[in-house]
Amino acid sequence: MATALAPYRRPAGDVVRDLGGDASQGLAPAEAAARLEREGPNTLPVARGRGPVVRFLLQFNSPLIYVLLAAAAVTALLGEHVDAIVILGVVVANAIVGFVQESRAEKALTALAAMARTTAVAVRDGVRRRIPAADLVRGDLVELEAGDKVPADLRLLRTDELAVDESALTGESVPVAKDPAELPEVSLADRTAMAFSGTLVTAGRAAGLVVATGADTELGGIDRLVHTTATVQTPLTRKITQFSKVVTVAILVLAAVTFVIGILRGRDATEMLTAAVALAVGAIPEGLPAVVTITLALGVARMVRRGAIVRHLPAVETLGGTTVICTDKTGTLTQNQMTVTAVTAGGRDYTVTGTGYAPDGGIECGGRAVDLAEHPVLKETLLTGLGCNDAQLVEKDGGWQITGDPTEGALVTSAAKAGLGRVPARTATQPFSSERRYMATLHEDGTVYVKGPVERILELCDGAAGPGGEPVPLDRAAVAARAESYGGEALRVLAFARGRAATLDELPPLTFLGLQAMLDPPRPDAAQAVRTCHDAGIQVKMITGDHAATAAAIGARVGLGGTVMTGADLAADDSPERIRDTTVFARVSPEQKLRLVRALQSSGHVIAMTGDGVNDAPALKQADIGVAMGRTGTDAAKESADMVLTEDDFTSIERAVEEGRGVFDNLVKFIVWALPSNIGLGLVLVAAIVAGTALPILPLQVLWLNMTAVLVLGLPFAVEPKDEHIMRRPPRDPALPLLTRAMTTRILLVSAILLAGSFGLQHWERSHGASPEVAQTIVVNVFALTLLTYMFNCLSLDRPLLWGGVRRNPWVAVSALALVAIQVLYTYTPFMNDVFGSAPLDAAAWARIAVIAAASYLLVETLKLVQRAR
Ligand SMILES: Nc1ncnc2c1ncn2[C@@H]1O[C@H](COP(=O)(O)OP(=O)(O)OP(=O)(O)O)[C@@H](O)[C@H]1O
């Protein structure tokens, strides 16, 4: 229905009525489905990616293709029509390969974008449900809380200290307070009764009615298109593309110079042109950028299978270089399955039996079940836990589950075990936040229930309840000591207090009631993952908001023993040395997290840091790898993170680092393997011109090598498994270049072997009466077979690998056999002889080629041995 006034200028009730909504029950699911059908999904128009035809044509937009096209033109002009056609065929084949690789990389990344879509909590028929934000329709009742991304334009109906960061919309990053009661006059900027799509809730909570979705939202209005087509650029691919460009230009210049020198020395122009073309085609490392991209994308796909969604491709590279992982405790190292096991109330200690969220079990004192009537403070403590609580206990599929915060869920269960299920209706709430550090609720009988960390609650109390409920002086030291001893048993402690007030505007002086201590067992595989990180030279630090004693005890159980610092300690001394030597940080505020990251980075570390709250966003952004929790993390944290964990599990981080190292290894292996063929081909041609001999290899034959040997033998590197000792060596030094000195030496050695072997052998054969065709075929086969043995050299960067390499990656054998077969066809079939000018070889020639290839393998292994010994 068209309305005269914008929704933020009209009373909430009218808006609800106009949209056919319901302020408490929400829409009926059937109605929502019908509207979704009618109005379309709540998504912004996506910037359409390039169509396949355009993407295919773009493959021709590369220096290599220009060179090849020029080569085809030149050969055609020289009357070599078969050659020209073959070159054009190669051009098309090359474009197809590029197109397929690019599509694969993009598909992997688009799938990731889809996984990162946001969800929203909608109330339909009175039931709260988390649904994909895309399914929201006008009239839907939506609930927001701190950390959420606002999923559509909402007319707010109820708010509770709501503040929203509207920078996505306005560029202004100071959070704006929101209040539905205020009906602003005319100013458009002052729309306090609205929450706009794409903005982030920084504090409080709210409920609102969807008034606009998708392109009709303010965000859609300012025409900001979402670009889901991910870019496949990373610092590394950029560096390599840059490198390829420089090399291309250098080779073209070299080719031109060679041509001119040849002419000046009186050589035939056609032959020199051919040489220049061969040089350009052979020496340009055209395949590198594509292989790097596809290797990264494959790595991303593997990480997803292991529970880590990488949001930015560069993270794959950075991950492998991680030197410190800063992880939080709850849910990451522990299971986030809370069970209250002990209560202290009115100065007495109680134990709670039963496990999990099921309300089966009871409360005992001195081994006997208690009667609540005789333990009034225990009852009050449990009631406070139940009242000051937003979690719900639900029975589902025969088991008990909670909705909401597990800490609060545990309190519902402990109350239920004592037979408590109801408190007077709540009239106001101050939600728990990391600034306030307590939660308070006001109930209709005038009671204020408060819960929070012990230190904070003690600050708010001026007295305590004695065993019979009578007022007694508060013994802070005794309470703190009790909390400390629970902490020592790895229990998480919450303190409870009570007061009376008419409103929550100001907290009244409180009476201390007691403590509840809950068990959150470490994840079974956390200790192993921590050990793996330590073996890999990666420091693990726990950063938690929990009590120091609890943090230390959990830390000890997962292998993070060592120095503990609290937020207060940090405030007194945050020197980088002190931070470096500390493994557990407790009672740390989000701002301190940011300072920790900076301090560690200043000592040269590469930091992966986890976070889940709204306030963690700055630290996640600052960290080299920000890691957000997929299950419990807020949208705010996910938006700032480089990686999102699907299972919130520390092991996933360790595995992602491992994958990152593997991807990096494979890239380096491929580059170390691929470069000598380019350098070798360039050197052979230059040598021939300098020596003034006939061309040892023709452009078409160079193309043949590039299309077969390089492609076929390069394939296994993309799927190479990780070295099994990959997590037993120290992290890569971020300051080191991609190729170390040792690798460069290896590349040069093999280039020299290729030059000496191919040029020398063909020269020798020629002087023993071989035809130019036979000599050229020998050169091609020296390259093919030496690249084959060199592939085995490159399967491991530092150890010899022969059959072991085949066993762990069968593609190695497939590629090797395929290459031999292809070369046999190339050498013996009349068709190939016609097209490529190859010629059959005798057994003696093969033997000499094999000796060169084998010698190359042995020389490289010897060099590796020497380099390792150093
Ligand atoms: N819902 C809540 N209401 C009141 N107090 C809470 C609530 N949740 C946690 N606390 C208290 O605040 C302290 C810190 O909690 P916080 O959630 O910041 O840390 P955490 O989840 O243990 O930390 P991390 O996940 O970083 O390991 C807890 O030790 C507990 O005492």
Side-chain angles (χ1 to χ4, degrees), residues 65-66 96 118 124-125 128 134 164 185 189 237 318 320 386-387 501 535 540 551 583 693 743 757 806 858:
I65 302 288
Y66 302 154
I96 293 176
T118 45
R124 287 184 177 167
D125 257 357
R128 301 171 71 241
V164 178
E185 308 291 306
T237 53
T318 323
L386 181 63
D535 288 344
V540 180
T583 31
T693 65
M743 290 168 197
V806 174
L858 295 176

Side-chain angles (χ1 to χ4, degrees), residues 346-347 377 458 461-467 469-476 479 496-498 510-514:
V377 188
L458 287 179
C461 292
D462 64 352
E470 70 286 358
V472 294
L474 174 57
D475 184 349
R476 293 169 200 275
V479 173
F496 300 84
R498 178 191 58 184
L510 301 175
T511 303
F512 183 82
L513 296 170

Side-chain angles (χ1 to χ4, degrees), residues 327-332 336 338 388 405 407-408 411 431-434 437-439 451-455 492-495 542-547 550 587-588 593 610 612 616:
T327 170
D328 53 19
K329 169 177 67 74
T330 310
T332 320
N336 209 6
M338 310 267 179
C388 189
D405 180 0
T407 303
E408 297 190 343
L411 301 175
F432 178 76
S433 73
S434 63
R437 298 184 54 232
Y438 65 80
M439 171 173 173
K451 75 177 193 310
V454 186
E455 313 91 276
R492 178 183 176 88
V493 184
L494 252 71
M542 179 206 286
I543 302 185
T544 173
D546 218 336
H547 193 283
T550 313
R587 291 287 195 239
V588 171
K593 271 195 178 184
T610 66
D612 47 13
D616 290 334

Side-chain angles (χ1 to χ4, degrees), residues 66-416:
Y66 302 154
V67 171
L68 287 179
L69 289 178
V74 170
T75 27
L77 281 180
L78 296 175
E80 308 276 351
H81 296 295
V82 177
D83 287 22
I85 289 170
V86 173
I87 296 180
L88 287 179
V90 167
V91 167
V92 173
N94 195 73
I96 293 176
V97 170
F99 176 75
V100 170
Q101 284 183 334
E102 201 179 282
S103 305
R104 275 180 78 182
E106 268 182 17
K107 219 163 89 196
L109 296 176
T110 316
L112 288 183
M115 270 185 238
R117 295 258 160 77
T118 45
T119 57
V121 174
V123 181
R124 287 184 177 167
D125 257 357
V127 186
R128 301 171 71 241
R129 252 195 232 111
R130 191 162 275 284
I131 61 170
D135 292 352
L136 287 177
V137 292
R138 291 194 314 143
D140 251 328
L141 180 61
V142 170
E143 292 184 359
L144 297 175
E145 62 176 22
D148 285 352
K149 182 160 154 182
V150 178
D153 284 0
L154 306 178
R155 171 64 164 92
L156 297 170
L157 305 176
R158 299 176 285 276
T159 62
D160 203 347
E161 302 186 340
L162 183 70
V164 178
D165 172 354
E166 296 191 330
S167 55
L169 207 55
T170 60
E172 175 58 63
S173 64
V174 179
V176 188
K178 294 283 180 177
D179 188 342
E182 266 175 59
L183 280 178
E185 308 291 306
V186 240
S187 159
L188 270 175
D190 192 24
R191 293 166 298 177
T192 48
M194 293 283 294
F196 296 104
S197 182
T199 59
L200 284 170
V201 180
T202 56
R205 47 186 95 192
L209 207 71
V210 175
V211 295
T213 60
D216 298 335
T217 60
E218 296 274 319
L219 189 68
I222 59 174
D223 196 29
R224 190 165 308 183
L225 298 177
V226 257
H227 295 270
T228 50
T229 35
T231 53
V232 289
Q233 283 279 314
T234 76
L236 187 63
T237 53
R238 235 173 274 136
K239 247 188 266 172
I240 287 177
T241 312
Q242 189 59 31
F243 170 76
S244 304
K245 277 198 187 128
V246 173
V247 173
T248 305
V249 173
I251 301 290
L252 291 180
V253 171
L254 184 66
V257 170
T258 320
F259 176 72
V260 172
I261 291 180
I263 300 290
L264 289 182
R265 292 176 64 179
R267 308 237 343 228
D268 173 39
T270 310
E271 199 191 3
M272 282 304 98
L273 204 55
T274 315
V277 169
L279 187 61
V281 173
I284 296 174
E286 64 279 344
L288 277 191
V291 171
V292 171
T293 308
I294 191 78
T295 309
L296 287 175
L298 287 177
V300 165
R302 269 197 305 270
M303 285 183 191
V304 169
R305 261 177 265 134
R306 304 185 74 177
I309 301 172
V310 175
R311 293 188 64 234
H312 308 296
L313 203 51
V316 185
E317 293 162 37
T318 323
L319 265 171
T322 305
T323 60
V324 178
I325 301 176
C326 295
T327 170
D328 53 19
K329 169 177 67 74
T330 310
T332 320
L333 293 169
T334 68
Q335 300 177 9
N336 209 6
Q337 295 279 331
M338 310 267 179
T339 314
V340 174
T341 58
V343 181
T344 296
R348 287 193 194 155
D349 294 335
Y350 303 87
T351 50
V352 183
T353 58
T355 53
Y357 295 115
D360 312 324
I363 303 196
E364 298 174 352
C365 184
R368 260 184 306 168
V370 296
D371 175 0
L372 278 191
E374 292 164 20
H375 300 264
V377 188
L378 171 65
K379 182 175 173 188
E380 277 297 311
T381 303
L382 294 172
L383 275 180
T384 306
L386 181 63
C388 189
N389 200 316
D390 285 320
Q392 271 153 11
L393 195 59
V394 285
E395 195 171 6
K396 202 173 149 194
D397 310 330
W400 289 87
Q401 294 179 352
I402 53 134
T403 59
D405 180 0
T407 303
E408 297 190 343
L411 301 175
V412 179
T413 301
S414 68

